Amino acid sequence: MSDEGQKNGNAYESQFPTCKACGRIIRNDPERAPICEDCREKFIKYPFPKKIVIPSVIVLILVAVITIMRFPQALQAGIHYERGMRAMKSHAYVTAENNLKLALAQYPESPEILSNLTLAYYENGKVQDAMAVYDKMADENMKIEDDAVYQRLDNLMKEVSAVYNIPEEYMKEHEAVMALPGDERARKLRGYASQYPESVYIRYFLADVLFDLKDYDEAKLYIDGILQMVPDYIPARSFLAAIYREKGEFDKAITVCNDLIQRNSESVYALAALSRIELKRFNDAKSLEYMERALEIAPDDLGTLVDLAMSYFYNNRQQELTATLQKIEVHPEKADYQDDIQKLKDIFEGRLQWR
Amino acid sequence: MLYLGRLIAWLTFPGVIVHEMAHQLFCRWLKVPVFKVCYFQFENPPGYVIHESPQEAYKNLLIGIGPFFINTVLGGLIAAGGAIPQLKFHSSSIFDFFLIWLGISIAMHAFPSTGDASTIWESLKKPNTPLWLKIVGAPIVLAIYVGSFLSIFWFDLIYGAAVAVLVPNLLISIMA
């Protein structure tokens, strides 16, 4: 509140008006307070009292110290979180994942970051990472306030439960089934699939075996069944695209891939699938375009590097192929991709006629 | 209600002090003599500045609305340091709560008082006040009275909280 406290002029006026502060004779000016110029200057610089200034400065220093220590990291985390959330909204899940991971480094206990990171991981096909983050939230009883995120996580968990609900009886036999030759393995798995028709895992595994046996129609039957149970299951959709590709139904395969890209505009697996479709129909340059896009999105993803190497091979880009193979050789996740790397070698050395 | 209002003023006393300091600062910048300042008291009004009534109406206007800018900016910046971790990531650090309390306390005292409004109004009514200033000043006076009326419904507190939330969100939106 500010007040016009001094009534100007008349009350103090005598024959010779004087300064109300020092008593000096002043010139009469009814528009201004009756003070001399020296006192005016003094009152203009009315001091801030020490009892106010000193605590204020202490508080400001305290605030400045706290702010300098905490604000830059909070702002950085906030910016990464915002970028992550914008990317989530535009279905750019790799960008979302990268930014949310950076925000999480500053605030590892934030349910907002963890819940969205779970979704981003899952959309990028990183189921194990998604589950690790989800388990952390569950272990610490974190509350998710955003209803839409909560609903998506709930759906995700239902999907994961459906996919990874492996019958105990089969689990005991898994190693033995794995050791069987292809035809025998398929026969055994058909038995389990009819015994446990709701098991997505068995159906998916069987479809995979049938795919290797080039029985694409039966493989599609099982994948269609899975998609009826869990319509949004990304690996099954990618698998469907591969089946269409091998059957020569390229348009259908491309439609499936485009659906995946609509769901995740940075879907490197969809881009890799498109690349393989183009290779299969001898559009090698187009295939490389897709893989270069995938490489821009996920330059360190081993799966991307493997498909890129294949594309370089068919495009006769020997120099780039050698560099990519060197990257694959030293990649920390190499052990997880042994089958794909072996398949690649078989193609390069002519042991496998892929197209 | 009156006691609650006083309690809020006490709990948010840093805002009252900043408000009065802002008036005083504007007086100094505009070369208007100040005769007395009360930075905070346990009475109504909780603070005031007694200064000369400047001849130029624009000075009265700026002195009156000065705290609006200073309290808003200062409150927003201080609160931002705590509001981002608290609001975005549910951090429960005591430092964050301290910054939010201080920021909201300062921002919620941004609104000029009805006393400020009446001083501005008196200067706007003077015949030598330029027309453009009357056009600019009148809605400001009206806004101050409306704000004062709405403070019955805790508008000042809502404003303080909004500043504490909006400034960091705005910062992040611009920089992201």
Side-chain angles (χ1 to χ4, degrees):
Chain A
M1 182 177 186
S2 74
D3 271 344
E4 180 194 347
Q6 297 278 348
K7 296 295 170 202
N8 305 334
N10 299 338
Y12 312 105
E13 237 176 39
S14 62
Q15 198 173 356
F16 301 104
T18 54
C19 170
K20 274 295 287 173
C22 67
R24 204 185 293 171
I25 293 172
I26 56 170
R27 189 168 53 85
N28 185 21
D29 185 350
E31 293 293 319
R32 303 172 83 190
I35 47 173
C36 66
E37 286 307 310
D38 288 345
C39 291
R40 173 169 292 278
E41 279 305 308
K42 202 177 78 188
F43 284 120
I44 284 171
K45 290 176 184 162
Y46 190 93
F48 291 94
K50 279 183 183 161
K51 65 176 182 181
I52 294 292
V53 171
I54 292 170
S56 298
V57 169
I58 290 170
V59 169
L60 276 179
I61 289 171
L62 190 68
V63 166
V65 169
I66 297 173
T67 303
I68 287 166
M69 281 168 61
R70 302 171 61 82
F71 188 64
Q73 68 169 51
L75 187 64
Q76 275 303 316
I79 290 167
H80 286 304
Y81 179 72
E82 181 68 21
R83 285 179 187 160
M85 294 312 292
R86 285 181 191 174
M88 291 284 284
K89 274 186 194 151
S90 57
H91 299 209
Y93 290 107
V94 174
T95 303
E97 180 193 317
N98 293 340
N99 277 288
L100 290 171
K101 278 198 284 195
L102 289 170
L104 190 72
Q106 303 292 345
Y107 294 98
E109 303 301 319
S110 162
E112 286 76 11
I113 302 174
L114 288 166
S115 54
N116 283 291
L117 184 59
T118 305
L119 295 171
Y121 271 141
Y122 195 72
E123 292 294 337
N124 290 326
K126 298 177 180 172
V127 180
Q128 280 184 332
D129 291 328
M131 287 307 99
V133 177
Y134 185 87
D135 287 346
K136 178 182 164 71
M137 286 193 291
D139 289 347
E140 292 174 23
N141 268 329
M142 286 184 184
K143 193 167 175 271
I144 297 154
E145 289 181 355
D146 186 324
D147 287 342
V149 172
Y150 181 85
Q151 194 55 52
R152 281 185 73 181
L153 278 176
D154 195 44
N155 292 341
L156 181 157
M157 285 316 294
K158 280 178 189 155
E159 195 172 294
V160 170
S161 304
V163 171
Y164 292 96
N165 180 19
I166 307 168
E168 209 171 314
E169 186 194 346
Y170 171 77
M171 275 303 284
K172 287 179 193 161
E173 293 292 318
H174 180 69
E175 291 300 320
V177 173
M178 288 287 285
L180 292 170
D183 285 338
E184 274 294 296
R185 202 189 298 177
R187 193 184 58 76
K188 193 86 175 164
L189 284 167
R190 278 192 199 99
Y192 281 114
S194 56
Q195 194 181 342
Y196 299 103
E198 75 289 353
S199 172
V200 172
Y201 182 86
I202 291 174
R203 279 167 175 256
Y204 193 89
F205 188 22
L206 174 56
D208 195 37
V209 173
L210 292 167
F211 186 87
D212 287 343
L213 293 171
K214 300 189 190 302
D215 189 348
Y216 303 120
D217 288 329
E218 196 182 350
K220 184 176 177 298
L221 212 65
Y222 286 105
I223 291 297
D224 284 343
I226 290 171
L227 287 171
Q228 273 182 354
M229 287 190 277
V230 272
D232 292 330
Y233 186 42
I234 298 164
R237 294 213 164 265
S238 299
F239 202 151
L240 187 62
I243 292 170
Y244 282 136
R245 181 192 71 217
E246 292 305 318
K247 288 175 71 164
E249 297 175 22
F250 298 121
D251 289 345
K252 284 184 181 174
I254 288 169
T255 303
V256 174
C257 292
N258 286 340
D259 285 347
L260 286 170
I261 285 174
Q262 214 160 27
R263 178 173 166 163
N264 179 0
S265 64
E266 294 177 332
S267 167
V268 285
Y269 42 83
L271 288 170
L274 283 167
S275 163
R276 266 175 259 143
I277 291 165
E278 297 304 341
L279 282 180
K280 206 72 177 184
R281 54 181 184 178
F282 297 90
N283 287 340
D284 297 341
K286 185 80 180 162
S287 152
L288 192 55
E289 266 178 43
Y290 283 126
M291 283 324 297
E292 281 171 344
R293 256 174 69 192
L295 189 70
E296 269 176 36
I297 296 166
D300 298 324
D301 181 63
L302 184 52
T304 303
L305 291 175
V306 169
D307 280 294
L308 181 68
M310 192 146 127
S311 197
Y312 279 143
F313 173 74
Y314 285 112
N315 279 279
N316 292 318
R317 302 272 286 267
Q318 196 53 48
Q319 209 175 340
E320 289 93 338
L321 175 61
T322 308
T324 308
L325 288 175
Q326 279 169 354
K327 277 188 195 169
I328 292 171
E329 205 54 43
V330 295
H331 200 285
E333 289 167 21
K334 190 185 159 191
D336 300 337
Y337 283 78
Q338 275 310 326
D339 290 349
D340 298 287
I341 294 167
Q342 188 54 50
K343 193 172 168 184
L344 207 59
K345 284 178 182 165
D346 290 346
I347 293 170
F348 294 169
E349 289 161 16
R351 288 191 294 273
L352 178 67
Q353 193 66 36
W354 186 71
R355 68 176 192 186
Chain B
M1 195 70 176
L2 185 67
Y3 289 112
L4 191 59
R6 279 192 187 179
L7 181 69
I8 294 286
W10 298 344
L11 289 174
T12 58
F13 72 93
V16 180
I17 296 172
V18 173
H19 182 106
E20 304 313 333
M21 286 172 100
H23 277 312
Q24 190 181 343
L25 266 178
F26 270 78
C27 284
R28 185 173 289 193
W29 290 336
L30 297 167
K31 302 204 179 305
V32 174
V34 171
F35 304 116
K36 190 180 178 192
V37 183
C38 171
Y39 295 95
F40 184 73
Q41 63 179 2
F42 292 102
E43 283 169 39
N44 198 21
Y48 58 86
V49 173
I50 297 173
H51 60 83
E52 182 188 59
S53 176
Q55 292 166 40
E56 301 91 337
Y58 81 91
K59 288 187 177 176
N60 250 329
L61 182 69
L62 288 175
I63 292 166
I65 62 172
F68 178 76
F69 300 111
I70 289 191
N71 283 51
T72 299
V73 172
L74 192 63
L77 287 177
I78 289 173
I84 295 172
Q86 226 307 304
L87 300 173
K88 291 241 177 238
F89 308 125
H90 283 101
S91 145
S92 51
S93 158
I94 192 162
F95 296 115
D96 296 330
F97 286 115
F98 170 70
L99 293 179
I100 291 170
W101 163 74
L102 189 60
I104 290 178
S105 296
I106 292 172
M108 75 172 279
H109 288 284
F111 272 86
S113 64
T114 49
D116 298 326
S118 90
T119 308
I120 296 168
W121 184 242
E122 287 306 317
S123 66
L124 290 178
K125 281 197 306 188
K126 286 180 183 170
N128 59 342
T129 302
L131 181 65
W132 69 266
L133 197 60
K134 290 182 180 183
I135 292 168
V136 171
I140 291 173
V141 172
L142 180 69
I144 296 170
Y145 277 112
V146 171
S148 175
F149 170 73
L150 290 176
S151 68
I152 300 168
F153 307 106
W154 303 106
F155 178 68
D156 39 6
L157 183 60
I158 293 166
Y159 178 78
V163 168
V165 173
L166 287 179
V167 169
N169 276 327
L170 201 67
L171 259 177
I172 287 171
S173 293
I174 292 166
M175 295 176 79

